[in-house]
Amino acid sequence: MTASPETSTIFALSSGRGRAGVAVIRISGARARAALEALAGPAPPARQAARRRLVDPESNELLDRALVLFFAAPASFTGEDIAELHIHGGPAVLDGVISALGRMTGLRPAEPGEFARRAFENNKLDLTQVEGLADLIEAETQAQARQALRQSGGGLRAACEEWRERIIHASSLIEAALDFSDEADVPAMIEGQARPVVEALAASLIRHLGDARRGERLREGLQVVLAGAPNAGKSSLLNALSQRDAAIVSQEPGTTRDAIEVHLDLGGYPVTLIDTAGLREAEGEVEREGVRRTLRRAVEADLIVWLIDGVNPQWAPPDELIAGEDALLRVFNKADLAAPDEAHDAIAISAKTGDGLDRLTEALAARAAALLEAGEPALVTRARQRRELEVCRDALVAFLEGAPLELELRAEDLRVAARALGRVTGRVDVEDVLDRIFGDFCIGK
């Protein structure tokens, strides 16, 4: 993605493509000001919008009447000179302006994520903030947006900086001990000064890593499996909750053979609802495979909705599905045909008439809130971040469990911990993950 100086100025449509009242084209690099002035005349004062005529520099053809802005380096998103063209969002206008930019010397179209990568390389963002920005762009629910805003605002970055300072302090004590290793009071100094610092840091990391992966689950969506006997109404319930015919509904047992997924926003929380095959003694190999897949998906799910057929109730789920009451929600279907047994705790609904669906939706949203946002906000939102923090934690534990007099080994434990923290934020060489992170962005971001 690194470009030569002659082609280092990039441009792209930074708003959504398609007909719109306004579209934004962004230009970043050393020739951003020259490109703006070639189209619109003298650049306005930095950070002030001006209404200008955009004219093709080659044909002198009027392209649009637009608002233009200029952001001088380093006070810009990328840390470079940036120009923005706020134009009308019609396809012909877009094509005309982009074509004119493409013919200018030293300009080229941006690659996916290149604006964000330049912001990272110019120390405007660290990797956790870049990932938070990507998540904010992709957020589909309010809860996801709140988490992404915390991350893009530097939530994890601030914690990593604090942890890094503690590691540096402990390392300085160990390095001092190495310089005076022949002194009799070195072990006492390590035990009395460095060890408490590392203990507190390890405890903080262990606490944040023991969050039941709430951040990753919120980012990806809560997995909720609909399970029950054949004809309990799982597919009808899926269709009712999604308000569309996502699954085939039939009175014939075994109609659903494979899992069907629907993504929902329940009370601001992302939920993936999974319809599965009915659980019974299957009659054929295909249905048996469907039952096996149902059990596997149910065991892996965050929550199981055990759907009970009101006409032929099966209150108890198979033993394989009972992972704890917190992971199980009993729902009594076909309440329009039969009354639920008050001795059993279940939400009564009718997937056919819609009665009780509001109560079920509220219950699912409450479970999602309890699972995804219980306690303080999650710092860790991606598997990559968790892996590096686990390496850091393990190195700190190795320090605490190792022999205090083996100073070189204890110093190496702290260096391993510091490098792992550096990989979280991008302070050390992380070239192997950069292309993957920035490649997930759309062009223009």
Side-chain angles (χ1 to χ4, degrees):
M1 192 174 286
T2 302
S4 68
E6 291 300 317
T7 59
S8 62
T9 299
I10 57 175
F11 66 90
L13 174 67
S14 290
S15 54
R17 181 166 287 277
R19 289 178 174 83
V22 176
V24 178
I25 294 175
R26 181 183 286 173
I27 310 164
S28 180
R31 297 188 56 80
R33 186 186 190 106
L36 172 61
E37 294 183 338
L39 288 171
R47 314 181 81 81
Q48 293 185 23
R51 187 171 182 269
R52 296 290 172 81
R53 297 170 75 252
L54 301 187
V55 176
D56 188 315
E58 290 187 1
S59 66
N60 209 33
E61 176 188 359
L62 177 65
L63 299 174
D64 195 17
R65 293 179 177 86
L67 286 178
V68 301
L69 297 98
F70 179 71
F71 302 87
S76 71
F77 173 72
T78 61
E80 304 173 327
D81 284 352
I82 283 185
E84 286 187 359
L85 311 175
H86 295 235
I87 65 177
H88 293 95
V93 175
L94 281 171
D95 290 345
V97 175
I98 288 175
S99 175
L101 289 171
R103 295 194 302 272
M104 292 183 186
T105 302
L107 269 67
R108 64 171 176 82
E111 298 177 23
E114 192 166 4
F115 287 93
R117 182 157 184 170
R118 290 189 177 201
F120 166 73
E121 291 173 343
N122 291 323
N123 296 316
K124 290 295 186 177
L125 299 172
D126 77 333
L127 285 187
T128 66
Q129 291 175 295
V130 168
E131 290 168 329
L133 178 60
D135 290 344
L136 185 59
I137 293 170
E138 297 296 328
E140 296 180 345
T141 70
Q142 288 299 311
Q144 287 176 319
R146 286 194 299 269
Q147 175 169 279
L149 281 169
R150 288 193 297 267
Q151 194 74 290
S152 62
L156 180 55
R157 175 184 186 174
C160 286
E161 288 299 318
E162 179 190 351
W163 293 333
R164 181 174 174 273
E165 289 300 319
R166 294 194 206 178
I167 291 176
I168 290 173
H169 177 50
S171 295
S172 67
L173 293 173
I174 298 300
E175 295 297 336
L178 281 168
D179 290 339
F180 300 98
S181 58
D182 55 343
E183 300 291 334
D185 60 347
V186 165
M189 183 274 289
I190 296 174
E191 192 69 19
Q193 298 182 40
R195 186 178 182 86
V197 173
V198 177
E199 283 179 338
L201 175 53
S204 180
L205 274 170
I206 289 170
R207 178 170 59 84
H208 283 290
L209 289 171
D211 62 355
R213 300 180 182 270
R214 286 186 291 112
E216 294 102 306
R217 292 160 84 182
L218 177 53
R219 178 175 173 267
E220 297 167 1
L222 199 71
Q223 300 289 304
V224 178
V225 163
L226 300 179
N231 286 339
K234 298 181 296 298
S235 297
S236 296
L237 178 57
L238 181 82
N239 291 339
L241 290 174
S242 64
Q243 299 181 351
R244 63 186 178 89
D245 292 334
I248 298 172
V249 176
S250 171
Q251 293 300 316
E252 179 183 346
T255 300
T256 303
R257 303 296 181 88
D258 205 351
I260 298 172
E261 298 186 3
V262 171
H263 301 282
L264 303 176
D265 180 345
L266 293 182
Y269 296 95
V271 172
T272 299
L273 204 60
I274 307 168
D275 181 23
T276 58
L279 296 176
R280 66 168 184 168
E281 289 296 327
E283 297 178 353
E285 181 57 35
V286 174
E287 189 178 354
R288 280 193 291 273
E289 177 60 25
V291 170
R292 283 193 293 269
R293 294 187 182 189
T294 292
L295 292 173
R296 184 173 68 248
R297 293 299 296 269
V299 169
E300 295 171 351
D302 299 304
L303 179 65
I304 299 169
V305 172
W306 178 247
L307 199 61
I308 300 153
D309 185 342
V311 178
N312 298 296
Q314 180 180 332
W315 292 98
D319 292 341
E320 300 96 319
L321 302 190
I322 302 178
E325 287 299 311
D326 290 341
L328 189 70
L329 183 65
R330 289 180 173 84
V331 177
F332 182 91
N333 190 27
K334 304 182 184 178
D336 55 319
L337 301 178
D341 185 346
E342 294 184 0
H344 295 88
D345 183 19
I347 299 173
I349 69 163
S350 170
K352 181 178 180 181
T353 67
D355 184 50
L357 289 183
D358 54 344
R359 294 189 296 274
L360 174 58
T361 300
E362 290 171 3
L364 288 172
R367 291 290 185 101
L371 288 168
L372 298 178
E373 289 199 306
E376 64 181 304
L379 280 180
V380 184
T381 61
R382 293 194 176 212
R384 181 195 73 84
Q385 300 164 1
R386 186 172 295 277
R387 284 194 303 271
E388 299 299 348
L389 291 179
E390 287 172 343
V391 171
C392 180
R393 175 204 61 197
D394 293 345
L396 296 175
V397 171
F399 176 95
L400 295 172
E401 294 178 349
L405 290 180
E406 294 177 342
L407 296 177
E408 292 85 355
L409 295 179
R410 302 295 72 79
E412 179 60 20
D413 291 335
L414 294 181
R415 282 192 288 269
V416 169
R419 285 196 296 269
L421 276 183
R423 288 192 294 271
V424 174
T425 60
R427 273 184 171 270
V428 298
D429 184 21
V430 287
E431 194 66 30
D432 55 332
V433 299
L434 290 184
D435 288 339
R436 175 64 180 272
I437 290 173
F438 293 104
D440 287 341
F441 278 80
C442 55
I443 293 174
K445 299 296 185 291

